[in-house]
Amino acid sequence: MELTGKIIAVMAAQSGVSARTGNSWMSQDYVIEVPGQYPRKCLFRIFGEDRIKQFNIQQGEDLTVQFDIDAHEFNGRWFNDIRAYNVIRGQQPVATPMSGAAAPFPPAGGANAAFPPAQEPVAEGSADDLPF
């Protein structure tokens, strides 16, 4: 999946040593804001010191971020993990929340609507304007 928008927050990098393998690790979180009538924000993570340095994401940049979404369970609760694997610079923000995804709502009315609007029977002599 991918989002195009502006980076509005760059969090502090986190690092540590894996208890299982003994290898050191580093990750950093960012917040991207997707423009539109109702702007959306998404927190994503870049894992690995080499990728963090390679992408060199700065606050205020307009980017397209390609990412994978996964979930994991911890103590009976589930958590989403949104990990970026590529960053593309120099593209204009797109008005859609996610490229390649279906629109969140079908078009209202018209031949392309999934279901036409329901027709309510009208009782004769009814002075009520309410549709129910």
Side-chain angles (χ1 to χ4, degrees):
M1 301 182 102
E2 68 181 40
L3 290 174
T4 301
K6 179 178 272 194
I7 301 298
I8 61 169
V10 177
M11 310 304 175
Q14 300 172 336
S15 61
V17 176
S18 172
R20 189 181 55 149
T21 64
N23 296 333
S24 62
W25 58 268
M26 180 182 260
S27 71
Q28 190 165 11
D29 292 341
Y30 305 86
V31 179
I32 188 168
E33 182 177 55
V34 179
Q37 183 178 4
Y38 303 105
R40 302 281 183 180
K41 297 170 186 71
C42 179
L43 176 86
F44 66 92
R45 173 172 294 146
I46 295 179
F47 191 83
E49 185 175 4
D50 56 335
R51 284 192 174 172
I52 292 169
K53 289 179 181 178
Q54 173 190 356
F55 296 148
N56 191 27
I57 297 174
Q58 303 297 318
Q59 188 166 339
E61 280 189 286
D62 289 322
L63 303 172
T64 297
V65 178
Q66 297 174 331
F67 57 89
D68 287 323
I69 300 175
D70 195 15
H72 63 275
E73 183 267 338
F74 180 73
N75 290 337
R77 294 187 61 197
W78 284 88
F79 300 90
N80 286 322
D81 189 21
I82 302 172
R83 284 195 183 179
Y85 61 85
N86 193 19
V87 173
I88 303 167
R89 289 183 163 78
Q91 293 190 357
Q92 294 297 320
V94 181
T96 58
M98 285 192 241
S99 65
F105 300 103
N112 294 333
F115 299 101
Q119 300 295 323
E120 296 287 331
V122 178
E124 291 185 32
S126 174
D128 192 0
D129 289 348
L130 298 176
F132 49 88

